């Protein structure tokens, strides 16, 4: 068996974002958000993941999954493999926009329902936190009471999830193991051979994908690789620029101290022309 990586957005949407596999998504949401008893999600409705712009705002959002439960609470699920600048701010923007878009022109604020944003991350967002999952809510800073329940966030940092197959106990364990490790497996792991877990594994199996779906998957990987290459190039240029600025500052100090140009060139590695430019400036 060959399993595709469920953390590639195309695969994630196929597995967790389709009406056909609704019970997979329900189990996943209940597990990650630790919903039990009357708080459990029993049914969901998938919504259009393209958020239209607000008023004159030209920024449009394309979410991985957007759905509502039986109580009309909204759930955003985003998979982010690589860290990008201001990712946390972007997620807050998504949640706030989803919240405001509920309200039509003639509707009352009382119709607004909570929005919960879940991020599955392939990187470490909170290096000082030991746990792989953190749930953020609006709390009273003195009593820690949770009176305002309109927006909440859950972050799962997959690099911190290190449980082995033999250590999987809870449904949350199984879902996170599936996300992080199924593409490395040749067969369905024993803890995932029942119910919605087996269904998710079957959805991730390459043989079940059409040629069109596989092309979309491959294109998503190429796009992600290109983006990563661009980020690395920008970072490399930034490092070069930083080193040049550092050398320039050293050269300025040496020139001010009366050190010869020859010694400055040997010390900093700058060219004669660069030293001349620094001296003239």
């Amino acid at each position: 068996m060959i399993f595709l990586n469920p953390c590639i957005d195309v695969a994630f949407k196929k597995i967790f974002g389709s009406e056909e596999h609704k019970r997979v998504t329900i189990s996943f949401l209940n597990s990650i958000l630790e919903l039990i008893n009357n708080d459990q999600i029993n049914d969901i409705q998938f919504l259009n993941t393209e958020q239209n712009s607000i008023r004159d705002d030209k920024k449009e959002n394309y979410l991985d999954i957007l759905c509502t439960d039986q109580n009309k609470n909204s759930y955003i699920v985003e998979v982010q493999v690589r860290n990008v600048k201001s990712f946390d701010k972007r997620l807050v923007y998504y949640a706030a926009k989803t919240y405001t878009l509920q309200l039509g022109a003639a509707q009352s604020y009382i119709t607004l329902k909570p929005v919960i944003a879940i991020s599955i991350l392939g990187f470490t967002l909170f290096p000082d936190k030991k746990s792989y999952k953190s749930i953020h809510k609006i709390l009273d800073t003195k009593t820690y009471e949770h009176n305002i329940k309109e927006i909440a966030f859950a972050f799962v940092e997959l690099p911190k999830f290190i449980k082995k197959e033999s250590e999987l106990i809870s449904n949350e364990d199984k879902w996170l193991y599936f996300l992080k490790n199924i593409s490395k497996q040749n067969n369905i792991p024993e803890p995932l051979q029942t119910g919605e877990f087996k269904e998710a594994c079957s959805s991730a199996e390459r043989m079940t994908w059409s040629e069109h779906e596989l092309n979309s998957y491959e294109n998503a990987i190429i796009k992600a690789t290109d983006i990563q290459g661009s980020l690395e190039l920008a970072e490399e240029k930034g490092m070069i620029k930083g080193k040049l600025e550092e050398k320039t500052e050293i050269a300025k100090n040496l020139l001010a101290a009366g050190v010869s140009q020859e010694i400055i060139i040997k010390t900093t590695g700058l060219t004669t022309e660069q030293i001349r430019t620094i001296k003239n400036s």
Side-chain angles (χ1 to χ4, degrees), residues 153-191:
F153 303 89
F155 295 91
V156 176
E157 300 169 275
L158 288 178
K160 295 181 182 179
F161 182 80
I162 57 174
K163 289 187 178 181
K164 300 176 182 178
E165 182 180 332
S166 60
E167 300 173 312
L168 305 181
I169 299 174
S170 67
N171 284 354
E172 179 178 281
D173 290 345
K174 295 174 184 178
W175 280 126
L176 298 188
Y177 187 85
F178 167 79
L179 288 171
K180 187 173 182 179
N181 297 299
I182 193 62
S183 61
K184 306 170 189 173
Q185 309 297 314
N186 296 319
N187 292 290
I188 299 177
E190 192 277 330

Side-chain angles (χ1 to χ4, degrees), residues 22 26 30 37-44 69-71:
K22 184 185 288 188
I26 292 173
N30 282 328
N37 301 327
N38 293 334
D39 292 328
Q40 275 199 323
I41 299 169
N42 300 316
D43 191 23
I44 57 173
D69 66 13
Q70 66 273 8
N71 297 317

